[in-house]
Amino acid sequence: MALITKKEPRSKFYELLQAQIHNEFNASQQYIALAVWFDAEDLPQLAKHFYKQSVEERNHAMALVQYMLDRDHHVEIPGTGEVRNDFSGVTEVIELALEQEKEVAADISAMAKAARAEEDYISEQFTQWFLKEQVEEISQMSTLLNVVKRANGNLFEVENHLYRESVGDGGTDSQMPPVAGGKL
């Protein structure tokens, strides 16, 4: 006997949540591309940083999946969008990452706004962790961009900074919502 799942019409919040799953997976793939670019440039600390960022974005996507499962909503696992692989330099790479984080923050804010407008206070509360996370992500990426600019082309200084500082070490927040399949 086949398992049949019905698709209920979704609220705006759940449509945005489903779209955000795509955005988080795409961000994960983009961060892999950045990490590989840094690996190819023999910049292991920057590569390591973005490999970790990729896993973190994957975990965010899977936390959104788990929330939809917990709320008994149908989940569609999307493909990812285009990923940029070619860059002229480190500053351009970090600027792309910062812009990506700002876009995610705007998307999460729209989700929170939709939940509030729909008087879905449970979903609004769920978005709060992600909003807090985006403040941290934007701050960390802004700091990394400043370090790159101040290094004035001396990438060994950037590498040393990342080696010394725990920038974007991720995965240590015990308040993170549950992740489908477990956090990586």
Side-chain angles (χ1 to χ4, degrees):
M1 185 167 143
L3 178 65
I4 299 173
T5 59
K6 60 181 180 173
K7 284 188 178 181
E8 298 287 331
R10 291 189 180 156
S11 67
K12 181 175 181 176
F13 171 78
Y14 281 99
E15 288 299 326
L16 292 171
L17 187 61
Q18 181 65 57
Q20 192 59 32
I21 292 170
H22 170 270
N23 295 345
E24 297 289 343
F25 279 130
N26 197 64
S28 178
Q29 289 297 102
Q30 183 61 68
Y31 280 148
I32 289 172
L34 301 184
V36 169
W37 189 87
F38 284 123
D39 253 349
E41 295 293 319
D42 295 322
L43 296 165
Q45 295 302 317
L46 282 158
K48 180 180 174 182
H49 175 73
F50 282 99
Y51 284 126
K52 284 183 180 179
Q53 288 296 117
S54 174
V55 170
E56 189 173 297
E57 299 303 331
R58 177 264 183 210
N59 285 339
H60 293 170
M62 295 306 287
L64 299 175
V65 166
Q66 185 63 56
Y67 182 74
M68 288 184 74
L69 291 170
D70 289 347
R71 297 297 306 270
D72 203 26
H73 280 272
H74 175 74
V75 181
E76 295 174 10
I77 301 302
T80 61
E82 290 295 313
V83 172
R84 185 171 168 197
N85 290 286
D86 297 315
F87 302 93
S88 63
V90 174
T91 302
E92 187 179 13
V93 174
I94 306 302
E95 286 172 341
L96 174 79
L98 177 58
E99 187 56 37
Q100 181 172 281
E101 293 298 345
K102 288 179 178 178
E103 289 172 12
V104 169
D107 294 340
I108 300 291
S109 292
M111 285 173 37
K113 184 178 180 180
R116 180 174 288 177
E118 295 165 4
E119 297 183 356
D120 181 353
Y121 302 114
I122 293 170
S123 293
E124 182 184 0
Q125 186 276 332
F126 172 74
T127 64
Q128 298 307 303
W129 181 88
F130 290 94
L131 290 169
K132 176 181 134 307
E133 177 70 7
Q134 284 314 118
V135 169
E136 293 171 11
E137 294 291 334
I138 291 168
S139 175
Q140 289 174 355
M141 214 54 76
S142 293
T143 297
L144 184 55
L145 181 58
N146 287 335
V147 168
V148 167
K149 287 178 178 179
R150 286 183 192 130
N152 200 26
N154 186 345
L155 297 179
F156 294 111
E157 287 300 321
V158 177
E159 288 282 286
N160 285 331
H161 170 79
L162 284 172
Y163 182 77
R164 286 189 319 268
E165 304 295 323
S166 59
V167 177
D169 57 0
T172 59
D173 187 348
S174 63
Q175 300 301 311
M176 182 177 179
V179 174
K183 195 168 20 169
L184 295 181

